[in-house]
Amino acid sequence: MQPFVILPNASSYLDPQGEPPLSHTGFIILSIIMAVFTGPAIILNATVIIVSLMHKQLRQPLNYALVNMAVADLGTAMTGGVLSVVNNAQGYFSLGRTGCVMEGFAVSLFGITSLCTVALIAVERMFVVCKPLGQITFQKKHAVGGIVLSWLWSLTWNLPPLFGWGRYELEGVGTSCAPDWHNRDPQNVSYILAYFAVCFAVPFAIILGSYTKLMWTLHQVSKMACLEGGAVAKGEMKVASMVILMVLTFLISWLPYAALAMLVVYSPDVEIHPLVGTVPVYLAKSSTVYNPIIYIYLNKQFQKYAVSFLLCGKEPWEQDEVSETATTVETSTNKVSPA
C-alpha cells in the first residue's frame, strides 16, 4: 500500500499516482452518513438549550452541566459536522490551510469540552449522592465553576498547536482537520502524548471513579434500609442505566479515535488506509447526537419540555395521563355497577 501525501495548500489527499483516496461515490456516502448524525445533533442540542432558557424549572444547578454539554456538542456539530458534510460532498477540503487550522481548533475545543462536561456530570452526581464533603449542598457557584473549568481546560490544551507545540492537520480521507497524530517530530509527539493523557485518559478515569463510588454508595444504602424493591432500588437501577449508557457512549465514540492516535504515535511506520482512519473520526463526532438522546430520555424534566417543544406544543404525557385516568374511572364504575 502506498502512503497518501498532503498537498502544500492542505486542500486534499492524493496517492503517488495522483488519485484521491476515495471515489466520488465514496465521498458522497460519507457526506450522507455525516449528515444523518449532524442534522439530529443540531436539532436535539438546540432543543435542550432553548427549553432550558424557556422554562425556569430547568435552570437548576444540576442541569447547568447538561446545557453546557449541549452547547459544546452543538458547536461540534455546527463546525466539524457541517463542514464534513460539505467537504465530503465536494470530495476535498475546500477552506485551505487557515481553514484547516481553525476547523481543527474549533472541533477539538468543543469536543474536549464535551468530554470534560461528561466527567463533570459524573462528579456532580457523586457529590450529591455520596456527600464526600458532608452536608455541603451543590449550589449554582459550584455548577458555574465546573463549567468554566471545563472550557478553560479544553482551551488550555487546544491552544498550543496555534503557537508551535503540535499542529492541526488533515485527517482520514482529507476532508476534516484535527491534531496531527502522524508527525514524528519529537515536539509534536510530546504534545500528542500529553493531549491524550489529560484530554482522554483523565476524563475517562474520573467518570469510572465517580460512578463506581456512586454505585457502591447506593448499593450500601439499599442494603442497610432493606429497600431493594423500593425507591432506593429504583434509583440505583436508574443510575446504573445512566452509567452503562455513558460509559458505552464514551467507549464507542472516543476509544477508537484515541486508540488509533496512540497506534500511530507508537508505531509511526504502520500503514493505515485513509478510509480506516476516517471511521474513528466519525464515531467521535457522532457523540454529539448520543448525548442529548441519553439525557433527554433519562431526565424527566428535560423529557417533558423537550418532547413538547419538538412536537410544536403538544403534550403527549398529559394525554397519556388523561387516558390512564379515564381508564381507571371507567374500571371503577364497572366494578360498582349492579349486576
Side-chain angles (χ1 to χ4, degrees):
M1 179 186 301
Q2 294 293 329
F4 285 80
V5 296
I6 184 172
L7 290 181
N9 63 357
S11 61
S12 63
Y13 277 171
L14 296 177
D15 66 14
Q17 284 72 46
E19 296 295 329
L22 287 180
S23 65
H24 179 69
T25 301
F27 278 115
I28 293 298
I29 292 174
L30 286 181
S31 179
I32 293 173
I33 292 174
M34 203 61 215
V36 169
F37 285 114
T38 300
I42 293 174
I43 293 172
L44 292 176
N45 285 297
T47 296
V48 171
I49 297 170
I50 292 172
V51 297
S52 297
L53 295 175
M54 291 174 59
H55 302 283
K56 187 177 181 180
Q57 300 93 320
L58 297 178
R59 296 197 293 272
Q60 302 173 8
L62 284 174
N63 288 337
Y64 284 12
L66 300 181
V67 177
N68 185 62
M69 186 169 61
V71 171
D73 285 344
L74 180 62
T76 302
M78 292 293 290
T79 53
V82 172
L83 286 178
S84 291
V85 173
V86 174
N87 289 326
N88 277 309
Q90 297 177 118
Y92 63 95
F93 191 86
S94 59
L95 300 180
R97 177 61 192 166
T98 301
C100 179
V101 172
M102 296 309 296
E103 192 229 0
F105 170 74
V107 173
S108 298
L109 175 67
F110 290 128
I112 299 304
T113 299
S114 179
L115 277 181
C116 291
T117 305
V118 174
L120 173 63
I121 293 170
V123 172
E124 286 181 353
R125 292 181 181 274
M126 187 270 290
F127 268 81
V128 169
V129 175
C130 304
K131 301 185 184 301
L133 300 180
Q135 296 303 315
I136 297 179
T137 58
F138 189 80
Q139 301 175 5
K140 179 179 178 180
K141 61 181 180 180
H142 301 128
V144 173
I147 290 171
V148 172
L149 178 61
S150 69
W151 284 97
L152 288 178
W153 187 261
S154 180
L155 186 64
T156 298
W157 290 99
N158 285 296
L159 276 177
L162 302 182
F163 298 96
W165 188 31
R167 66 175 187 173
Y168 294 108
E169 196 55 88
L170 289 174
E171 62 180 351
V173 294
T175 53
S176 62
C177 296
D180 187 2
W181 313 105
H182 300 271
N183 191 305
R184 304 179 189 181
D185 179 75
Q187 189 177 24
N188 186 74
V189 172
S190 66
Y191 170 74
I192 294 301
L193 292 176
Y195 192 79
F196 172 82
V198 300
C199 294
F200 291 99
V202 170
F204 187 50
I206 291 175
I207 290 171
L208 288 182
S210 298
Y211 275 121
T212 298
K213 173 66 173 175
L214 179 59
M215 292 299 298
W216 175 253
T217 300
L218 287 175
H219 181 66
Q220 291 299 106
V221 171
S222 180
K223 287 176 63 178
M224 292 174 61
C226 299
L227 294 174
E228 284 80 358
V232 174
K234 291 180 179 179
E236 184 175 350
M237 290 304 298
K238 185 173 182 179
V239 172
S241 299
M242 174 80 79
V243 171
I244 294 172
L245 286 174
M246 285 187 66
V247 173
L248 285 179
T249 299
F250 189 102
L251 291 175
I252 293 172
S253 301
W254 289 101
L255 190 58
Y257 187 70
L260 182 64
M262 289 300 96
L263 174 64
V264 172
V265 171
Y266 284 104
S267 301
D269 295 327
V270 65
E271 294 182 353
I272 300 175
H273 191 278
L275 183 59
V276 176
T278 296
V279 174
V281 176
Y282 283 18
L283 283 175
K285 291 179 179 180
S286 70
S287 65
T288 59
V289 72
Y290 301 150
N291 290 332
I293 290 176
I294 291 174
Y295 288 105
I296 288 176
Y297 176 73
L298 292 177
N299 188 306
K300 295 300 182 182
Q301 282 185 316
F302 270 113
Q303 185 183 93
K304 176 183 177 181
Y305 293 114
V307 173
S308 174
F309 176 80
L310 291 171
L311 296 178
C312 301
K314 294 183 180 180
E315 298 285 352
W317 315 125
E318 290 184 2
Q319 293 177 5
D320 291 342
E321 291 174 2
V322 171
S323 177
E324 183 178 349
T325 303
T327 302
T328 303
V329 171
E330 182 179 354
T331 302
S332 302
T333 304
N334 290 338
K335 285 183 178 181
V336 300
S337 297

